[in-house]
Structures are given as structure tokens and as C-alpha cells.
Amino acid sequence: MPVPTQSRVVVIGGGIIGCSTAYHLAKLGLEVVLLERHKLTSGSTFHAAGLVGQLRTSANITQLLTESVKLYAGLEAETGLATGWKQNGGLRLACNQARWTEVKRQAATARSFGLEMHLLNAAEAQKLWPLMQVDDVVGAAFLPTDGQANPSDITQSLAKGARMNGAKIFEDTEVTGIETAHGRAVGVITGQGRIACETVVVCAGQWTRELCATVGVNVPLVSVEHQYMITEAIPGVTPDLPTLRDPDRLTYYKEEVGGLVMGGYEPNPIAWAEDGIPEKFNFSLLNSNWDHFAPIMELAMGRVPALQTAGVKTLLNGPESFTPDGNFILGEAPALGGLFVGAGFNAFGIAAGGGAGKVLAEWVAGGAAPYDLWPVDIRRFGRNHQDIGWVRTRTLEAYARHYTMAWPSEEFVSGRPLRRSPLYDRLLAAGACFGEKLGFERPNWFAAPGETALDIYTYERPNWFAAVAREHFSTRNAAALFDQSSFAKFLLLGRDAEAALSWLCANDVAKPPGRLTYTQMLNARGGIECDLTVARLGEEKFYIVTGTGFATHDFDWITRHIPSGMDAKLIDVTSGYAVLALMGPRARDIISRLTRDDVSNAGFPFGGVRTIHMAGAPVLALRVTYVGELGWELHIPTEFAVTVYEALMAAGAAHGLVNAGYRAIETLRLEKGYRAWGADIGPDQTPLEAGLGWAVKLRGAQNFIGRAALEAQRAGPLKKRLCGFVVEDPAVVLLGRETIYRDGERVGWLSSGGFGHSIGKPIGYGYVRNPSGVSDDFLTTGGYALDVAMEKIPCKLQMTPFYDPGMARIKA
Ligand SMILES: Cc1cc2nc3c(=O)[nH]c(=O)nc-3n(C[C@H](O)[C@H](O)[C@H](O)COP(=O)(O)OP(=O)(O)OC[C@H]3O[C@@H](n4cnc5c(N)ncnc54)[C@H](O)[C@@H]3O)c2cc1C
């Protein structure tokens, strides 16, 4: 069959991801052609071990993985091709108390996501997996719906299913180029000719980065060696053996023809193909590296003594694409319309394949992700992810951490510092303990003299607790200075800038110059895509401020949704401005010592934006707050930042001004009830559900994206609502994802958790769900508890801020 000259969609790559995507596209009725340069499965897929686990830290990514399991369970019956699917369940061991806490918290999470997970003691776990010794096992989790598959068979089965639904699959057909026109992908070039198309989906595994780079699309993934051993048959290994993960020994196991497959995640991974993937690397493996595998083998033999005498068939070494944060990469490229990516599967592409192909197909067909996929969205990356050397360094760290403890608030350590604010050295000297977002160093907290500026991770109260409390109280009682230079900042310029933003924003931004607006931008479902501040600087000039991590996403969202033909141009000015947030009741006293401009409440009211002159610098001052105190965000041309910082610290000394960091911001915003995008709000939640209805211009006539969905939603009862929860016992540690119980029934999970220092209690936020509606009455008549590591902790629901600085001072 000759390659066609056109198709609605072209999928590049015949591994599990490409075949699954083609299968789902065809099922949706889209015309699709899949092109594979060699044979199906000849990339990473043919040599995968085939474990299929489902639990992730995000509810939606867990949902995606459960979709794989649902698909695999019925695929063989559908296509008549065997898949090797076995649903024997999955065991996960915990060998110390911290890991056991992690597993118990995961179990609570799994249950709230609707995934069955049982906790077992060591003896119970051993019954399921008799070959292992359990002297060091504290406990285990068992997920009965996990399973295993034969990666090649399941891929061929998906390919057959795709063909059965009309997809055309061509092997030995390499894509040598992607054609673009007017900022869109419009076709592909192959050895057999050109195919014109509306959408290209690149599922080319570890080849994806180089192929996409040819059209200016950055896909930060690198190849890393990964090994597992296959043994001869071992007495006692039965076909019904669950898969086993032993993270404290960095290893995993599955049954295969009476023997074991055993692999692991070495702490010193080896990057592969740093100078490019060799030509004709098809159905190819790398040389076994026994020296590198020896420590993993040692750990495994301690768990499964039978390995000491088992015959070894092979030590398989295969390269796979890994990413800097350990998550895969999906979605439409921000740099090129019509080009979608599904790649970087970090050694769980078989587990993710079914679900990833499904959401990718729905994304292509519907023009939007079917649900919030932010943790795997290609727009989560930024400028720091463009240099391949940096990406490799960070990716190797992420690989090495695959099985290590996932501590709350844990930061990456490699490739740092990279992006530094002009104040970095001063803050370091002042005791800053830095965290990092999109490569930008940001102070998390400040150590006092005698303290060490170093995070010591734990599931208990952490070592930075007291420092954060100090900064918190300084902000509440005096003033604090936060370096928020990493904020993403854009200018929207043009005759139609107001009209474009009025269409994009849910709140009314058509204010006179000098005013700013807190607003969301919504998708057609009414879900919150962006959460930002829009300041009007002139008739045709708006300044937009959003979170550090959302720089690529929000820039892409805005540019894509400016109606065509409008004169409105978006420019990223992030690097042009440092940002110092001066917050606290003494902020005005401090700022007025440095400027002759009117900063009185009448002269510079809340919601104002103006250039003021302080310490010799022209400073764009925004009267906003994310901590619930009087204050200004000072946006300072970068070269003036140090001067302004020094002047503020000097003027503030008499008023108790301190440096403060992001962890203090978090406790302050939790008390005040400000929402965080990516946690409390996102594409699956509307402003009405999030309690942000006050920031939506439904009363006026102006149409905006998402308006129709909100109006429809307003007509009926809300099925979920964001609520605050407070726990009396100050020792309880809330981290987010704890299950919410109402009158003993599971109704949701926490989207944020932390500690409110002013009220001296743990605070959480989460959506309470009820299919027949969440009325005020429903909320207030229930009795609530939170599941914290499998313990039910009573809590109180509250719909108003836990701490209102204004009210607190009036009472005082
Ligand atoms: C040793 C090892 C063990 C693993 N174990 C597991 C496991 O137990 N469970 C699990 O879930 N995952 C596991 N994985 C991961 C899994 O193998 C991968 O995540 C998965 O196979 C990735 O599939 P893919 O379709 O993205 O990539 P690939 O299978 O590599 O497919 C990409 C395809 O694109 C083709 N291609 C590239 N460029 C072009 C072009 N220009 N034109 C046309 N075609 C092109 C390639 O030939 C290739 O066939 C393991 C990986 C390794 C290395």
C-alpha cells in the first residue's frame, strides 16, 4: 500500500505510545496514519519489563494509568491478539518507619482517587510473595488491580485494534522532516513522499527531542541506560505472583515463564547517546554492565535469597527516555500549533501507554486536554530546559530518585544555581535556604545566626518550622521583604489589548490606567487555565504577572486565545524586572521613607498600580497582596534591584523589616484563603466551585471564554466546592491529598495542606464533592475528619478565611 498524500492526523513512531494514540484516534473516527521508521516496537518498547503500576501523586495521572488497566483488560478479546495481560496485583514494601508513613499516606491517597490499596503486615505480604525474606519489612501495600503485560504483544494488539478502526500503519517509513507554515505543522516528509495533515503527533520515544528540535520545539528528554535481569525458572515462582516493588532496596520484580525479572534504579545512572542516537538502532540493546548492576543485585539477593543460586538468562540493558522531573510529556507544543508530543516515559510507558494514548487522542480531537494534565503537560517546561547538558544533569538526578523517599517539600539539588535574581548573593549572605522553580533560585526560608540554612526532610514537623514561624509573625506584625523576581511577567500591547483581555479574562479588566485586577482565564468548560494579575499601565498597555512555574503555559494560553485579527502583541518581560514584595502593617511606614510619591491609602489605594521613584529607581508598584497584609509588589528594572533592596532593608530596620521566603508565603496565604493554581485551582475547577465567583464579571454583558459554561453551572447546584479545614491538634502534619470524610463518607481530598502560625493550627483546603449538590446546608451539617496516614483526624470545615488581619487587629 503506498503512503497516502494526506491524512487528518499523522502519528510518528510505532512504539506503545504511538500505537495507543493511533488506536484511540481511529476509535474517535479520525483519519490517521502511523509511520514507523523500522518495525513496530523496535524502539524501547520491545525490551520493557512489562510491569503495570497505577499509583501516582496526582489524582488525574492516577486516573490516566487506571485507563491503561481498563483497556488492557479487554484488549485481547477485542482484537484477538494476545497481550500477556495478567492482573495479579502489585506489592510495595516499606522497610523503615518513614517509608511506612509514606506508604500509609499513599494508601489514603489511592483510596481517595478510587484505587483499591490494602495495607499488610510483613507476614501477610510474605504470603503473597513467599520467596522473599521479610525480616526488615515494616509493612506493605497491595494494589489488587495492578498487573503486567507483554510489551510487544500489547503494542501489536493496539496496532491491530487501530487498523480494525481504519488507521493506516506503515513500517519502514522514516519521517525525515516536519513541514510548517504560518506557525503550524502542516505535513511530514518521508522517504516515500510527503503527507499533508492538520496534526502531527510525535511519539518517537528517545528520538523525539531531535526530531522536534528541527522545527523549534523543545522536548526535554534524554536517553539513560536501564537494566534488568531475567532468571531461569525458580522453584516457587508461580504465574499468579504479584509484581513487587522494594523501593528501599531500589528494585522491582515480576514473574516471567517461571523465573523472575528483576530490575532497579541505580543511584549513579549512566546517560546514553550523548552525541546522538546511532543510526539503525532498531531492536537493539546495549552491552550488559554487570559492574554497574552489582549493587542492585546485592540488594535483591538480600530480599530474594533464591536469586543467589538462580540461573541467569540475561542481564538486559536498554536505553529509555527520561525527563528532568520524572514525568512524561504530553500535549500541543507551545512553539508550534498542530504539533503534539507523547514522549519521555521514564520507564513506565507500558503502564501509561493505554491512558496516555487515550488522552492524547482526545486532546487532538477536541482541541483541549480532556482533563487537567498539568503534571505531564509540555508547557510545564521553561527556559532552563533548553540546554541539553543541564537537562541531562537534572534528569540523571530524577532517575536516581525514582525509588528514594519522596519527601514533602523536597528540592532537586543538581544543576543549581542556574537562574539567579540580582539579590541572590545578598540573600545567601542573609541566611537564605533556597528552593528552585523553573531553574530560578528562590529563598524558601532564612536561617538565623547559629542555624544552618539546610532542609532536613521528614514527614514530621520539619527543621524550618521555627524559621518560617518567625517570618510569618514578622509579616503579620511588622513587615517582610520577599524576593519574587522569578514571577513571569508579560506586556500586552496594542490597539485591541483591552478587547483581547476582556475576552480572555473572567474578571473585568477594562479598568482605567493605574488600576489592576486579579483574574482567572477560563477554558470553554469554565475551568481555570490561568490565575494572574492584570495591571493596566496605559490605554494600549497591560502588564500581566503570573506564577514562576506557569511562564510557558500562560504565555501560550494568552497568545493562542487572542482573537485573530486583533492588534494585541504579548511580550515576555520576565528578565526585565526584579520583584520585591514588601508586606506587613509597617510597609507604608517603610516605603514612605524612600519616596516622595503619595503612598497613602487615599493616594495609592488597594488595586492601584503606578510608577513611583524610590532610592533613585523607577519602580512599578502594584498594591496587591498574596499574604493578606498591607503591601506592595515592587517591580524594579533589574539593574536597580540591589540598590532598592539595600535601601528598603536600611529604611526598614527601625520597623522590624526582615527577609522572608516562599514557605512563609505559603502559611500566610493558607490562613487568608488565597488559592494556588496547580493545587487548589486548575482546568478542572471553575471559579464558582473554587469560591472565586466574586472575581467573575457575570453581571455585565461582556462575553468571555467560559462564560456560557459558568452560566449553565450557575443554573444548577454545584457538585463540588472548595472548603477550608482546620485541625485542633497542632502536631498533625497536613501536606495535601489527605482524604476528606464527611459523616464517615469519603467526599474528596485536600488540594493544599500546611500550618497556620497565627492561629497555631494545621490548615487544609479541598473540594467537597456530592453528586446531588453541595449546598451550604450540606457543608455545614456534616461532621468532618481527615485521613492522615490512615488515621482519622477530626477537623472543622470553614468557608471564611482562618485569619483576617484586619479583623484580628480590630479585635486586638
Ligand atoms: C530496560 C527497560 C525496562 C522497562 N520496563 C518497563 C516496565 O516494566 N513497565 C513500563 O511501564 N515501562 C517499562 N519500560 C519503559 C518502556 O519501555 C517505555 O516507556 C516505552 O516503551 C516507551 O514507548 P514509546 O512508544 O514512547 O517509545 P518507543 O518504543 O521507543 O517507540 C518510538 C518509536 O518511534 C520510532 N521513530 C523514531 N523516530 C522516527 C521517525 N523519524 N520516523 C518514524 N518513526 C520513528 C522508533 O523507531 C520507535 O519504534 C522499560 C524500559 C526499559 C529500557
Side-chain angles (χ1 to χ4, degrees):
M1 184 170 48
V3 169
T5 54
Q6 70 175 58
S7 172
R8 161 77 173 82
V9 186
V10 171
V11 175
I12 305 174
I16 190 162
I17 306 303
C19 290
S20 173
T21 305
Y23 167 90
H24 286 100
L25 283 166
K27 282 216 138 183
L28 289 172
L30 269 73
E31 183 191 26
V32 54
V33 166
L34 183 148
L35 305 173
E36 163 55 48
R37 63 199 273 272
H38 188 62
K39 303 290 178 204
L40 298 183
T41 78
S42 63
S44 292
T45 297
F46 83 95
H47 56 61
L51 283 80
V52 175
Q54 300 166 89
L55 183 63
R56 308 291 292 177
T57 50
S58 143
N60 286 3
I61 306 307
T62 302
Q63 182 188 330
L64 183 151
L65 293 170
T66 61
E67 295 286 350
S68 294
V69 165
K70 275 187 220 149
L71 173 67
Y72 298 164
L75 192 62
E76 188 167 332
E78 183 186 330
T79 65
L81 271 193
T83 58
W85 173 247
K86 283 201 295 189
Q87 200 160 33
N88 290 350
L91 258 181
R92 195 177 184 91
L93 305 181
C95 299
N96 55 59
Q97 281 307 330
R99 179 73 76 177
W100 185 227
T101 302
E102 181 184 75
V103 167
K104 285 190 292 182
R105 282 184 176 264
Q106 282 172 338
T109 303
R111 287 179 192 178
S112 37
F113 297 174
L115 191 64
E116 213 181 323
M117 182 160 167
H118 307 287
L119 292 181
L120 311 178
N121 61 31
E124 289 165 334
Q126 201 182 28
K127 255 197 186 150
L128 288 173
W129 229 92
L131 258 68
M132 68 174 173
Q133 75 78 25
V134 291
D135 294 355
D136 58 341
V137 173
V138 178
F142 182 61
L143 290 108
T145 56
D146 275 3
Q148 64 184 63
N150 180 317
S152 294
D153 289 352
I154 211 156
T155 304
Q156 295 289 357
S157 195
L158 285 165
K160 182 165 180 205
R163 284 194 196 98
M164 283 161 60
N165 288 283
K168 298 192 180 96
I169 297 181
F170 295 88
E171 293 181 310
D172 301 310
T173 306
E174 178 163 8
V175 172
T176 52
I178 297 171
E179 278 194 348
T180 65
H182 311 297
R184 286 192 66 83
V186 293
V188 299
I189 311 291
T190 79
Q192 278 84 292
R194 172 180 184 268
I195 306 177
C197 62
E198 285 173 36
T199 307
V200 177
V201 189
V202 188
C203 302
Q206 55 191 338
W207 292 267
T208 303
R209 184 175 58 80
E210 275 187 30
L211 183 59
C212 288
T214 61
V215 285
V217 170
N218 183 37
V219 185
L221 55 81
V222 294
S223 302
V224 182
E225 296 187 11
H226 186 64
Q227 299 197 95
Y228 62 78
M229 185 184 83
I230 308 173
T231 74
E232 304 284 357
I234 299 176
V237 173
T238 50
D240 60 349
L241 206 62
T243 59
L244 174 67
R245 290 178 181 79
D246 187 3
D248 294 310
R249 288 173 182 261
L250 310 176
T251 45
Y252 60 82
Y253 306 79
K254 85 163 217 216
E255 182 274 341
E256 190 163 290
V257 284
L260 286 176
V261 162
M262 184 278 287
Y265 286 84
E266 312 86 349
N268 54 344
I270 302 175
W272 182 69
E274 294 191 32
D275 300 321
I277 299 170
E279 289 223 356
K280 303 210 183 330
F281 191 83
N282 314 310
F283 285 128
S284 304
L285 292 170
L286 309 176
N287 292 333
S288 309
N289 186 341
W290 278 106
D291 286 346
H292 197 236
F293 199 66
I296 293 285
M297 186 70 189
E298 193 73 24
L299 289 165
M301 288 191 302
R303 174 68 62 222
V304 185
L307 286 176
Q308 293 168 15
T309 51
V312 175
K313 273 193 198 159
T314 184
L315 176 64
L316 184 148
N317 187 356
E320 154 76 335
S321 54
F322 286 81
T323 65
D325 61 4
N327 255 326
F328 49 91
I329 306 173
L330 293 186
E332 190 169 10
L336 188 65
L339 186 119
F340 285 72
V341 171
F345 277 84
N346 295 275
F348 65 105
I350 309 305
K358 181 168 191 283
V359 296
L360 208 43
E362 287 169 2
W363 202 330
V364 168
Y371 48 88
D372 180 5
L373 293 166
W374 176 240
V376 297
D377 192 312
I378 190 169
R379 293 167 296 180
R380 73 189 187 274
F381 299 113
R383 283 193 212 163
N384 55 314
H385 295 105
Q386 286 169 9
D387 177 67
I388 190 62
W390 190 90
V391 168
R392 187 172 290 113
T393 302
R394 178 56 61 84
T395 301
L396 292 178
E397 185 189 357
Y399 177 108
R401 279 163 55 157
H402 187 88
Y403 273 154
T404 60
M405 291 285 302
W407 295 110
S409 307
E410 191 175 8
E411 298 277 349
F412 282 100
V413 296
S414 62
R416 296 179 54 187
L418 181 65
R419 300 171 75 189
R420 278 177 262 191
S421 114
L423 307 169
Y424 177 83
D425 291 337
R426 275 159 185 80
L427 301 182
L428 190 65
C433 182
F434 287 94
E436 180 238 49
K437 199 39 113 18
L438 229 54
F440 222 120
E441 293 295 317
R442 316 188 312 169
N444 272 339
W445 58 280
F446 287 82
E451 290 175 356
T452 309
L454 184 75
D455 288 340
I456 300 172
Y457 299 118
T458 172
Y459 271 102
E460 310 299 320
R461 190 172 269 192
N463 69 316
W464 58 82
F465 187 86
V468 171
R470 280 195 306 265
E471 295 166 23
H472 178 112
F473 286 116
S474 290
T475 317
R476 290 271 183 257
N477 301 326
L481 200 53
F482 301 88
D483 179 6
Q484 298 191 272
S485 302
S486 63
F487 272 157
K489 303 139 217 146
F490 314 134
L491 277 177
L492 188 74
L493 304 173
R495 261 191 334 276
D496 300 319
E498 180 191 304
L501 282 175
S502 294
W503 166 242
L504 272 154
C505 295
N507 206 345
D508 179 12
V509 294
K511 308 230 171 90
R515 300 297 299 163
L516 61 81
T517 313
Y518 166 63
T519 184
Q520 281 81 44
M521 293 180 179
L522 311 181
N523 56 36
R525 294 179 282 126
I528 301 171
E529 290 287 343
C530 313
D531 179 67
L532 29 72
T533 303
V534 174
R536 186 165 205 166
L537 304 186
E539 280 306 321
E540 299 182 3
K541 186 176 184 186
F542 289 83
Y543 184 69
I544 299 170
V545 186
T546 187
T548 312
F550 317 135
T552 307
H553 175 276
D554 288 7
F555 191 90
D556 177 62
W557 182 266
I558 297 170
T559 45
R560 257 181 219 277
H561 291 88
I562 294 173
S564 67
M566 278 202 182
D567 175 34
K569 178 98 189 121
L570 193 69
I571 303 162
D572 187 331
V573 294
T574 300
S575 303
Y577 295 91
V579 178
L580 287 172
L582 176 67
M583 297 287 152
R586 309 301 294 273
R588 182 173 289 116
D589 300 331
I590 297 167
I591 208 167
S592 52
R593 290 183 64 170
L594 296 174
T595 182
R596 296 173 66 86
D597 289 284
D598 183 0
V599 291
S600 67
N601 200 39
F604 201 149
F606 188 75
V609 54
R610 184 137 44 85
T611 296
I612 61 174
H613 295 88
M614 53 192 296
V619 172
L620 187 65
L622 281 67
R623 179 90 194 272
V624 280
T625 179
Y626 191 53
V627 297
E629 297 292 339
L630 168 69
W632 284 264
E633 252 177 35
L634 304 170
H635 292 240
I636 309 157
T638 307
E639 72 274 26
F640 291 100
V642 172
T643 303
V644 173
Y645 172 79
E646 287 176 349
L648 279 166
M649 290 309 282
H655 299 281
L657 179 66
V658 299
N659 288 302
Y662 272 81
R663 297 214 174 118
I665 293 177
E666 179 65 8
T667 77
L668 292 156
R669 76 102 189 161
L670 283 173
E671 279 186 346
K672 193 65 176 57
Y674 292 125
R675 277 65 171 140
W677 196 90
D680 311 314
I681 52 178
D684 292 345
Q685 292 93 29
T686 71
L688 305 181
E689 294 162 341
L692 293 170
W694 57 270
V696 181
K697 56 188 175 207
L698 278 178
R699 264 189 236 120
Q702 168 72 46
N703 199 9
F704 58 91
I705 306 172
R707 179 172 186 135
L710 291 192
E711 279 173 346
Q713 187 175 54
R714 209 169 47 162
L718 292 169
K719 307 284 167 58
K720 62 176 191 248
R721 280 171 72 184
L722 187 67
C723 305
F725 298 91
V726 63
V727 170
E728 282 304 309
D729 179 357
V732 169
V733 177
L734 297 182
L735 300 170
R737 292 195 296 279
E738 292 82 357
T739 311
I740 306 166
Y741 284 87
R742 177 187 177 278
D743 293 340
E745 301 267 322
R746 276 200 291 271
V747 289
W749 61 90
L750 292 190
S751 49
S752 288
F755 192 84
H757 290 277
S758 299
I759 63 169
K761 292 173 192 167
I763 294 173
Y765 289 87
Y767 287 86
V768 170
R769 294 162 161 81
N770 184 30
S772 55
V774 183
S775 62
D776 286 351
D777 200 40
F778 180 84
L779 289 177
T780 50
T781 53
Y784 290 89
L786 297 173
D787 183 332
V788 181
M790 304 305 282
E791 200 185 327
K792 291 242 178 76
I793 309 286
C795 64
K796 285 205 184 86
L797 175 140
Q798 191 167 321
M799 297 304 284
T800 51
F802 292 101
Y803 181 84
D804 192 320
M807 291 310 292
R809 267 186 282 283
I810 290 164
K811 281 187 204 149

